[in-house]
Amino acid sequence: ASVMSAVQATPSLAEIMGEIGRNARIGASALKIATSEQKRTALLTAAGAINAHRKKILAANELDMAAAREKGISGAFLDRLLLTDARIDGIIEAVKTIAELPDPVGTVIAEWDRPNGLHIERVRTPLGVIGVIFESRPNVTADAGALCIKSGNAVILRGGSDSFHSSRALVDCLLDGLHLAGLPVECVQLVPTTDREAVGEMLKGLGGNIDVIVPRGGKSLVARVQSEARVPVFAHLEGLVHVYIDRSADLDKAVAVTLNAKMRRTGICGAAETLLVHKDVVKTHLKPIITALVAKGCEIRGDAQVMSLIPEALEATEEDWKTEYEDAIISVKVVDSIEQAIAHIEHYSSHHTEAIIAEDLEAVEKFFNEVDSAILVHNASTQFADGGEFGFGGEIGIATGKMHARGPVGVEQLTSFKYRLRGNGQLRP
């Protein structure tokens, strides 16, 4: 009988996850009414705890790194997983920056008076409980936790099994901050299991207790989330980013911006994957841009005209125009007009980020008005597609959907709004 009761006493994964959901709702209720100073204190204390527990965090990360190396995981993946003193400094700086951002909650976005004397206000309010499902980057733990606390949302973090120890050590520091600020530790929860079924439970919404899911990771993770989620999702599946060199482009800007957009970091979602060049500047601009890319080790895949001019170019297939390489490869096409460039982007883009290099401001306005992507850039690198670079202090992800959160998702995007109507006895006739 004692064996039977012991078996019955072991909760199932669904029960564990259900409890996490209910606890998150308790945390969300407290955070919704927390003062700006409480949230600021929680985050500054957490930043201090990360600094104080640096050795413990690095030791936890070494456990994750050793396990990953034993599995024979790729160098690029190991680099994403690795924490160093410098990277911990970066995490601390991000948490401090988020702490000092203006509190979005309670901000009056708009207000107006009606002829009957009613005063109407539209006011920012937290979304509630955010579920963040991410893969290997441990810094997402701190970024997502801090952004959710600041925006008054409870968060359930489900990190990849590879970063489990690192994430636990960072969450402990966030909990120190919450505790000191007099906020419930249920505001930030790390899923305590590496079982993949936990993700399935989150996608079902944990009994109505998750309001939004944010996936951070590779295509297979994001695709699974988008197909299975029964709650709203803030996500992008791909970053198929285009750079268009207009007939009015300044040559030096065209070379420098394209090189940075492609080669600064090839694996991030804001890295350029396709280059479109107006036919009028093929003779002047194409070769210097390609020469700069090839010198940095970039492979070129081009259309017939590009291949005729660039000996190193391989032939671009239909598949190339659809591919997010996340590598030192770029597909290059010559277009007859800005209209053709916009049509190509409309057909192949993932609606993440697109850039135009041009001095003709009419061309820029046309590009900005007609290209339907979350982020549009003029005469600057597409690698600025990042919440930190936007001044958001960080981002929980980049959204390419059509809902209210589009582009980098920072504290404001993690809020919704409600209306407050102030009257003096008005009755509707």
Side-chain angles (χ1 to χ4, degrees), residues 6-81:
V7 169
Q8 286 166 350
T10 306
S12 68
L13 181 65
E15 287 167 337
I16 291 167
M17 295 304 293
E19 182 72 8
I20 286 172
R22 289 188 291 277
N23 286 340
R25 193 55 72 192
I26 292 165
S29 297
L31 263 180
K32 182 170 69 176
I33 55 171
T35 66
S36 299
E37 197 46 47
Q38 268 182 302
K39 293 185 284 189
R40 181 174 173 272
T41 299
L43 294 179
L44 291 177
T45 305
I50 294 167
N51 192 35
H53 297 302
R54 188 182 288 261
K55 281 187 179 157
K56 183 180 158 191
I57 295 165
L58 289 170
N61 183 246
E62 186 42 48
L63 287 175
D64 290 334
M65 290 293 291
R69 282 191 289 262
E70 207 167 291
K71 282 189 200 166
I73 279 168
S74 74
F77 182 95
L78 287 172
D79 180 60
R80 288 200 291 274
L81 181 59

Side-chain angles (χ1 to χ4, degrees), residues 227-269:
S227 70
E228 290 183 29
R230 297 187 200 166
V231 292
V233 175
F234 291 165
H236 70 272
L237 185 57
E238 291 180 295
L240 215 164
V241 172
H242 297 77
V243 175
Y244 164 59
I245 310 297
D246 186 57
R247 64 194 293 187
S248 67
D250 173 87
L251 176 59
D252 291 342
K253 284 179 199 166
V255 173
V257 169
T258 306
L259 187 62
N260 186 268
K262 175 73 239 180
M263 299 301 293
R264 176 189 159 268
R265 283 181 67 189
T266 56
I268 66 172
C269 57

Side-chain angles (χ1 to χ4, degrees), residues 212-217 221-223 225-226 232-238 350-352 396-402 405-407 409:
V212 175
I213 293 270
V214 182
R216 285 284 299 267
L221 168 71
V222 178
V225 169
Q226 288 179 329
V233 175
F234 291 165
H236 70 272
L237 185 57
E238 291 180 295
S350 60
H351 305 293
H352 189 295
I396 207 164
I398 288 186
T400 54
K402 301 291 178 81
R406 213 171 178 216
V409 179

Side-chain angles (χ1 to χ4, degrees), residues 362-385:
E362 275 186 33
V364 176
E365 284 312 300
K366 182 179 177 67
F367 190 87
F368 277 12
N369 289 335
E370 296 182 23
V371 176
D372 185 26
S373 293
I375 303 168
L376 300 171
V377 186
H378 171 221
N379 284 357
S381 174
T382 57
Q383 300 221 0
F384 285 111

Side-chain angles (χ1 to χ4, degrees), residues 284-330:
T284 50
H285 290 42
L286 183 68
K287 197 138 196 158
I289 295 170
I290 300 299
T291 302
L293 287 166
V294 169
K296 289 283 185 192
C298 188
E299 181 181 306
I300 310 300
R301 299 187 186 172
D303 65 5
Q305 199 170 346
V306 172
M307 286 179 68
S308 69
L309 295 166
I310 308 294
E312 301 93 334
L314 304 172
E315 185 177 0
T317 64
E318 173 62 19
E319 201 52 40
D320 282 304
W321 310 121
K322 301 175 184 172
T323 300
E324 180 186 13
Y325 299 111
E326 297 182 319
D327 199 354
I329 306 168
I330 195 165

Side-chain angles (χ1 to χ4, degrees), residues 64-286:
D64 290 334
M65 290 293 291
R69 282 191 289 262
E70 207 167 291
K71 282 189 200 166
I73 279 168
S74 74
F77 182 95
L78 287 172
D79 180 60
R80 288 200 291 274
L81 181 59
L82 176 68
L83 287 177
T84 61
D85 268 314
R87 287 182 181 185
I88 289 177
D89 288 341
I91 290 170
I92 293 166
E93 201 47 48
V95 174
K96 283 182 176 173
T97 302
I98 293 164
E100 300 296 358
L101 289 173
D103 186 350
V105 179
T107 306
V108 177
I109 309 166
E111 57 184 318
W112 60 96
D113 291 303
R114 298 293 295 142
N116 62 6
L118 271 182
H119 182 70
I120 302 178
E121 300 169 326
R122 186 187 302 141
V123 187
R124 285 200 189 281
T125 182
L127 292 170
V129 176
I130 316 282
V132 182
I133 301 168
F134 59 101
E135 288 179 337
S136 56
R137 293 182 194 270
N139 65 297
V140 174
T141 310
D143 282 355
L147 287 164
C148 287
I149 292 168
K150 186 72 188 189
S151 55
N153 296 291
V155 64
I156 299 169
L157 298 160
R158 200 288 180 179
S161 55
D162 299 291
S163 60
F164 188 74
H165 295 96
S166 310
S167 293
R168 178 76 266 165
L170 287 164
V171 165
D172 286 344
C173 297
L174 291 170
L175 299 186
D176 284 354
L178 289 167
H179 182 69
L180 199 93
L183 291 166
V185 289
E186 288 84 0
C187 296
V188 177
Q189 296 177 89
L190 182 68
V191 173
T193 170
T194 56
D195 190 328
R196 290 175 74 87
E197 281 309 304
V199 173
E201 291 297 325
M202 287 177 73
L203 297 180
K204 291 177 199 168
L206 302 184
N209 283 316
I210 291 184
D211 296 294
V212 175
I213 293 270
V214 182
R216 285 284 299 267
K219 283 179 211 171
S220 59
L221 168 71
V222 178
R224 179 188 176 191
V225 169
Q226 288 179 329
S227 70
E228 290 183 29
R230 297 187 200 166
V231 292
V233 175
F234 291 165
H236 70 272
L237 185 57
E238 291 180 295
L240 215 164
V241 172
H242 297 77
V243 175
Y244 164 59
I245 310 297
D246 186 57
R247 64 194 293 187
S248 67
D250 173 87
L251 176 59
D252 291 342
K253 284 179 199 166
V255 173
V257 169
T258 306
L259 187 62
N260 186 268
K262 175 73 239 180
M263 299 301 293
R264 176 189 159 268
R265 283 181 67 189
T266 56
I268 66 172
C269 57
E273 307 293 8
T274 296
L275 176 66
L276 304 171
V277 182
H278 194 290
K279 66 178 173 53
D280 291 1
V281 291
V282 163
K283 289 199 169 90
T284 50
H285 290 42
L286 183 68

